[in-house]
Amino acid sequence: MARRPLPRILSSGTMSLARGRDLARTAADSATDVLHPLLVIGRGLRILAAAGRRRWSQTPKDKRGPALFLGAACVLVVALVPYGPLLALITLMAAAAWHGRDRTPAKTGPSDAETERLGSLYEALVPYFSIPEDPSPLFAHGGDWDKAFSGYEFDEAGRITRLHIRYPAYFTDGEATSRARIESLLHAKSGRGREYLFDWDEEGNQLDLRVLAALPTGIAAQPFVTSPGETVLGFTDAGGVQRTLPVLEGDEPRDVPPVIWRTGPRSAEPHLLAVGQPGSGTSTLLRSVALQALRQGGDVLIVDGGGSGEYSCLSGRVGVLAVECGPTGAQATLEWAAQETERRLIATHRAREVGRPAPEDTRRPLWILLDQPSVLAHLAVAEGGPDPLAQLQVPLRHGRPAHVTVVVAEQFGHLELLNDAVWQHTRARVVLGPAAVQQVADVLGLPPHTTPTAQVPPGRGYARLGTGPVHRLQVPATPDPYDEAAHPAYRQAVLELLPERHPGPHRLLSAKSLRAPAALDAQPEVAAEAP
């Protein structure tokens, strides 16, 4: 028996049905958009009719007759007034549109989970913000947290991102230990792994807690727009400084707030000390400083105590006087730096005595960069030689008027090997990598204003210039361009910033570099060549 074919409407497949459903849905959406004002007015008229019917049912029977007479009189007056019916219709439509509008209630107040978190945080603060002698304590077990927490914000995971706390006036907020206990508790209860900013208002007895966003880590070394004598140590939060720099993060231009370190004769912080753990980014900071110094026309002298060869890319470049890795070469190099500082001071002093400007070679900036100098000092003492760090006293003490800047990078485990001159004259300080609050305070002189985290990217830390505030810091990515494990784009950025190589054989630290000007040359010529 032959099978009869299906009807055409069924044999066309699901494509036509799906297309029909889409067309119907599109038509319904379009009609809803077009008829939305009419729907709102209709819903408002229904609400007004229901309100009128409810009011009529609540009116006593003995007063319904006068109410009808009063309504009829109002209708008659409206009908006799010019344009009365039109105005009445417009008023009725406006009232219907107002009552028929969408009144979806907005979310107010925290959810149940957020309320429970705020309550537990309030109970945890009770032992610190209450005393038995207080007749009406603001913080009490089983109390109302709404009186103490005036503002709060949460993220998608339900964790606190901002909290405004009001505490009693008798709390000892002027003591650092008392504030540290509260900050540690809030850090633990609000969620670890994030960096919090605590803003204490001792005058108003208020504390503002805020979660800080991560600093940008994708900014590579590049020509920064700075004035002569300014060095970009890294980038910080927008509220910490009053200046921004145009940079490129990848291929996207941005304006970011920098941490600017000013050097030269008028600088209050002429020398820098950077401290961190292995792999924290201190060598990256020194490379960044060296590239900026070379770009501004300065001379750079590098002593690599670690002997890792991370500064080999600078060897033989224009402006790089020497890159030393051994104790003997470091001793000779630092001895030459001390003599050069003295020569510059003498030449400048004699020029001022005769009323002349300082010679040009004394105004050219000289940068002495030392990475882990304690290793070379230990090797030199073990071999029975003099301590190379002793030669740093002259550049550190008298380097500012001679345009000599010293930058020392050391690890936390070797800080006791640095002499007193380094600690006394390096007023610009940087701490990179994971570190405890006490470690940061020992180096910078002040504890950080945020809670340090255990896991941080390389080049992340804190900076303080002299007696200024403590800034969060992210050093621009400046890896060794010969390190194949580094990001290719960052390596290429460093290669583009490197100066050209010397065209021929170059004798570093030659006698000519120590020779005083002819008009002021009253001392014999001193020659010192780096090995």
Side-chain angles (χ1 to χ4, degrees):
M1 182 176 180
R3 179 176 298 178
R4 299 179 60 184
L6 293 174
R8 185 174 181 180
I9 189 173
L10 298 178
S11 62
S12 59
T14 59
M15 291 295 293
S16 59
L17 295 178
R19 188 181 299 108
R21 283 196 299 268
D22 294 340
L23 291 176
R25 188 179 298 108
T26 303
D29 294 340
S30 302
T32 302
D33 295 338
V34 173
L35 300 177
H36 183 264
L38 297 179
L39 295 177
V40 171
I41 294 175
R43 184 166 58 247
L45 290 175
R46 187 174 65 252
I47 293 174
L48 292 177
R53 187 169 54 253
R54 185 170 56 255
R55 184 68 179 272
W56 178 259
S57 63
Q58 294 176 356
T59 304
K61 292 184 179 181
D62 57 342
K63 295 183 179 180
R64 290 183 178 180
L68 286 176
F69 178 76
L70 181 61
C74 292
V75 171
L76 180 61
V77 170
V78 169
L80 296 177
V81 172
Y83 303 103
L86 180 60
L87 294 176
L89 180 62
I90 293 176
T91 304
L92 179 62
M93 294 298 102
W98 174 258
H99 288 280
R101 72 189 188 277
D102 187 9
R103 288 187 257 184
T104 303
K107 179 184 177 182
T108 57
S111 61
D112 295 339
E114 295 171 353
T115 302
E116 183 178 358
R117 182 179 288 270
L118 290 174
S120 62
L121 185 59
Y122 174 84
E123 293 291 336
L125 291 173
V126 169
Y128 301 93
F129 285 151
S130 64
I131 57 176
E133 294 81 8
D134 192 351
S136 57
L138 182 61
F139 285 81
H141 291 292
D144 190 5
W145 56 264
D146 290 338
K147 299 179 181 179
F149 301 156
S150 59
Y152 42 81
E153 295 178 5
F154 294 86
D155 57 6
E156 294 80 4
R159 297 192 300 175
I160 295 176
T161 58
R162 186 155 194 170
L163 182 64
H164 190 77
I165 304 174
R166 187 166 62 92
Y167 56 86
Y170 52 76
F171 175 71
T172 56
D173 52 3
E175 299 178 1
T177 55
S178 301
R179 294 198 304 267
R181 285 196 299 266
I182 299 300
E183 293 176 1
S184 177
L185 175 65
L186 294 175
H187 183 202
K189 293 296 183 181
S190 301
R192 298 187 182 275
R194 300 184 297 175
E195 199 163 2
Y196 295 89
L197 172 65
F198 298 96
D199 186 9
W200 290 86
D201 182 9
E202 292 88 351
E203 185 178 0
N205 301 321
Q206 296 178 358
L207 169 61
D208 190 69
L209 177 148
R210 181 162 51 94
V211 177
L212 296 176
L215 295 177
T217 58
I219 301 178
Q222 53 192 282
F224 298 114
V225 183
T226 55
S227 301
E230 293 183 344
T231 303
V232 178
L233 298 180
F235 306 98
T236 184
D237 301 300
V241 295
Q242 300 179 353
R243 178 178 175 179
T244 58
L245 280 183
V247 298
L248 289 177
E249 186 174 2
D251 295 333
E252 180 181 357
R254 290 185 55 186
D255 288 339
V256 293
V259 178
I260 300 293
W261 174 40
R262 294 174 176 85
T263 58
R266 300 184 181 275
S267 173
E269 304 87 21
H271 308 297
L272 174 70
L273 173 63
V275 183
Q277 301 289 354
S280 59
T282 54
S283 300
T284 298
L285 176 61
L286 259 65
R287 272 191 298 270
S288 176
V289 171
L291 292 177
Q292 296 181 61
L294 292 172
R295 182 172 177 269
Q296 294 181 2
D299 293 331
V300 177
L301 195 65
I302 301 175
V303 176
D304 184 9
S308 59
E310 295 188 358
Y311 304 95
S312 59
C313 60
L314 297 172
S315 298
R317 303 283 180 174
V318 175
V320 180
L321 301 181
V323 179
E324 294 294 341
C325 302
T328 305
Q331 174 68 27
T333 300
L334 295 180
E335 183 179 355
W336 175 89
Q339 297 175 3
E340 172 66 9
T341 304
E342 295 174 350
R343 185 196 69 83
R344 291 187 175 206
L345 291 175
I346 294 173
T348 303
H349 178 68
R350 292 178 178 175
R352 291 174 179 174
E353 283 183 345
V354 298
R356 295 182 180 179
E360 181 66 26
D361 59 344
T362 62
R363 297 198 302 265
R364 184 179 177 88
L366 175 61
W367 293 75
I368 305 173
L369 310 181
L370 300 96
D371 192 358
Q372 302 184 41
S374 60
V375 177
L376 295 178
H378 177 74
L379 294 177
V381 173
E383 295 177 359
D387 185 4
L389 294 181
Q391 302 293 333
L392 279 179
Q393 294 187 9
V394 175
L396 287 172
R397 293 178 179 177
H398 309 289
R400 182 174 64 174
H403 296 271
V404 178
T405 303
V406 179
V407 181
V408 180
E410 193 52 83
Q411 299 181 5
F412 276 108
H414 302 156
L415 291 180
E416 66 276 0
L417 299 178
L418 297 179
N419 52 27
D420 295 338
V422 175
W423 288 105
Q424 183 178 359
H425 297 282
T426 53
R427 294 172 48 84
R429 305 284 179 84
V430 173
V431 176
L432 299 179
V437 176
Q438 189 59 41
Q439 288 180 314
V440 178
D442 292 341
V443 176
L444 301 183
L446 283 179
H449 60 292
T450 61
T451 54
T453 56
Q455 301 293 333
V456 294
R460 174 70 176 80
Y462 298 93
R464 187 187 183 200
L465 304 178
T467 58
V470 179
H471 299 284
R472 290 205 307 165
L473 181 70
Q474 178 62 51
V475 178
T478 317
D480 181 8
Y482 301 152
D483 183 10
E484 297 182 355
H487 195 282
Y490 300 158
R491 294 167 54 192
Q492 183 62 32
V494 175
L495 288 175
E496 293 177 356
L497 292 177
L498 289 175
E500 298 180 355
R501 292 189 179 274
H502 291 283
H506 179 64
R507 300 180 63 193
L508 301 179
L509 305 184
S510 61
K512 182 180 179 181
S513 62
L514 285 176
R515 187 176 305 153
L520 304 175
D521 193 1
Q523 291 188 355
E525 180 179 322
V526 184
E529 282 192 21

